[in-house]
Amino acid sequence: MRGQSNPRTGILGYRTLEKWKDFSLALPALLLLAIFTYFPLGSSFYISLTNWDLIKPIKKYVGLLNYERLLKDDQFYRVLKITFTYTVLDVVLSLLIGLGLALLFNHRSKAFGAMRLLIFMPYYISMVIASMVFVWILNPEYGVLNKALALFGVDKIFWLNDPSTALWSVVSVSVWKGVGFVMIIFIAGLRSIPTEYYEASSIDGANKWRQLLHITIPLLSPTTLFLVITSFISSMQVFQSVSVMTGGGPLGSTKVMVMWIYEMAFVQFKAGKASALVIIFFFIIIFFTFVQFWLSKRKVHYEG
C-alpha cells in the first residue's frame, strides 16, 4: 500500500538504501578528489582575485584585474602560441612514428618482442635525465649529432641556442621518450581488429595499402582518439625538458605556459597573477579536450 514503509528497511525503501550503499563506496575516492584536486583549484581561483606576492601575508582583493592584465598582455598570446606549436608537433610526430613502428613490429616473435622492448625502454627514463642526455647529444662542440653531420659536410649547428631549432630540439626529447608507449597502445589496437576483415578484403583484391586506409586506420580511431587526448593534455603541460634544456630561451622561443607560470609565481613572486594564468590555462585545456570529444563523434568508428 502506498505510504506504508517497508517492514525490512523502515521508512527508506530497499532501492534507496542500495543506491546510498553504492554511493558510499565512492566516497573515499570523492573525498581524495576534493582534497587534492578541487580544493587546490578553488584556492587558486581565490588567490587569482588578489594581489598576493607570496612574501607578504596580506592578500588584497582586486577582482578580475589579474585576468584583464593577462588578456591584454602580448606575451600571453606569444607563450600560448609556442605552447600550442610544441603540442601539435609533439602529438603529431609521436602518433605518426608510433603508428609506423606499431605496423612494423606487430609480429608475435621473440625478435620483434625484443625490438619493442628496446623502443619502449626510454618511457621509463626520467624526463630530466633524458633531457640531460639530449643536451649532450645536441652540444655544438662535442655533441654526437653535430659530429655525425660533419661527416656529410654539414656545418656546426647550435641546436639549443638558435631560436629556429630550439623548440624542435625540445620536442625531439618528448617524441623519443614517449613514442614507445604510443607504439604499444597502437599494437594493442591492431590486435583487437578481427582478421576476418583482412581475409575478406584480400579475396576482393585489396592490397596492403588499401587495407591500411579502409580497415586499419578507421578501426584504430578509438585508440587514436585516446592517444590524441592524453598526449594533448600531457604536452600542453610540458615543463621539465624545457627547464633543463633551454630554460625558456633563446630569446623566449621555448617559453611554454607552465614555465611562465613557474617564473611568475616563484621568481617574480606574483602569486595572484600566476593563479589567474593557471585558471585561464585550465579552461583552455578543458575547452580543447571537449572539442576533441565533439569531433570524435563524427570521425571515430567503433566495430559493430
Side-chain angles (χ1 to χ4, degrees):
M1 183 180 293
R2 188 174 182 179
Q4 186 176 359
S5 63
N6 189 315
R8 291 186 302 170
T9 58
I11 297 175
L12 296 175
Y14 177 77
R15 291 183 177 178
T16 305
L17 282 178
E18 283 295 313
K19 288 180 180 177
W20 277 102
K21 180 183 175 183
D22 294 340
F23 179 74
S24 66
L25 297 175
L27 276 178
L30 291 174
L31 184 62
L32 291 174
L33 196 64
I35 293 173
F36 294 106
T37 302
Y38 295 117
F39 177 72
L41 189 62
S43 298
S44 294
F45 178 69
Y46 165 70
I47 294 172
S48 72
L49 302 176
T50 69
N51 66 346
W52 190 33
D53 62 2
L54 277 181
I55 299 175
K56 299 176 183 176
I58 301 172
K59 301 183 183 70
K60 184 182 176 182
Y61 177 78
V62 295
L64 299 177
L65 183 62
N66 288 324
Y67 293 92
E68 184 181 347
R69 288 177 175 172
L70 280 171
L71 295 176
K72 290 182 179 178
D73 190 344
D74 292 338
Q75 190 175 6
F76 170 76
Y77 298 99
R78 184 170 182 268
V79 171
L80 192 61
K81 180 182 176 183
I82 293 171
T83 306
F84 271 117
T85 304
Y86 173 92
T87 301
V88 170
L89 290 174
D90 186 24
V91 173
V92 172
L93 290 175
S94 296
L95 262 62
L96 288 178
I97 297 174
L99 177 60
L101 292 172
L103 294 170
L104 191 62
F105 294 108
N106 184 25
H107 299 280
R108 300 178 187 277
S109 69
K110 291 183 178 179
F112 281 97
M115 291 299 296
R116 290 195 295 270
L117 179 63
L118 288 174
I119 296 170
F120 185 73
M121 281 180 67
Y123 186 72
Y124 289 112
I125 299 174
S126 162
M127 181 57 88
V128 173
I129 295 174
S131 301
M132 292 174 68
V133 170
F134 267 71
V135 167
W136 172 73
I137 293 173
L138 300 174
N139 187 283
E141 300 297 335
Y142 52 82
V144 175
L145 184 56
N146 268 1
K147 288 187 179 297
L149 292 175
L151 298 175
F152 299 95
V154 178
D155 292 334
K156 186 185 299 181
I157 300 175
F158 294 84
W159 297 100
L160 299 176
N161 297 324
D162 187 339
S164 64
T165 57
L167 191 63
W168 284 92
S169 302
V170 177
V171 170
S172 65
V173 181
S174 179
V175 173
W176 173 77
K177 187 175 181 303
V179 75
F181 174 78
V182 176
M183 177 193 70
I184 293 297
I185 299 298
F186 268 132
I187 286 176
L190 287 172
R191 293 185 178 180
S192 68
I193 299 175
T195 57
E196 290 81 1
Y197 293 165
Y198 295 104
E199 293 170 357
S201 63
S202 297
I203 293 172
D204 292 337
N207 57 27
K208 295 291 184 183
W209 177 248
R210 291 179 68 84
Q211 287 178 345
L212 175 67
L213 291 181
H214 298 290
I215 297 176
T216 305
I217 291 179
L219 292 181
L220 276 179
S221 53
T223 306
T224 307
L225 174 67
F226 165 77
L227 288 170
V228 167
I229 292 175
T230 54
S231 301
F232 172 83
I233 295 173
S234 174
S235 298
M236 286 287 283
Q237 301 174 67
V238 60
F239 175 76
Q240 292 176 326
S241 56
V242 176
S243 178
V244 171
M245 296 180 72
T246 64
L251 303 175
S253 60
T254 59
K255 181 178 284 187
V256 290
M257 193 61 78
V258 176
M259 168 149 283
W260 194 31
I261 292 171
Y262 173 82
E263 288 181 356
M264 201 178 288
F266 302 107
V267 178
Q268 303 173 13
F269 301 111
K270 296 178 180 177
K273 196 173 178 180
S275 297
L277 191 54
V278 168
I279 298 298
I280 293 173
F281 192 46
F282 171 77
F283 281 106
I284 288 173
I285 293 177
I286 291 292
F287 171 76
F288 280 99
T289 302
F290 275 109
V291 168
Q292 292 171 65
F293 274 114
W294 178 75
L295 291 174
S296 71
K297 291 180 180 178
R298 296 183 178 181
K299 300 297 181 182
V300 175
H301 302 274
Y302 294 95
E303 187 187 355

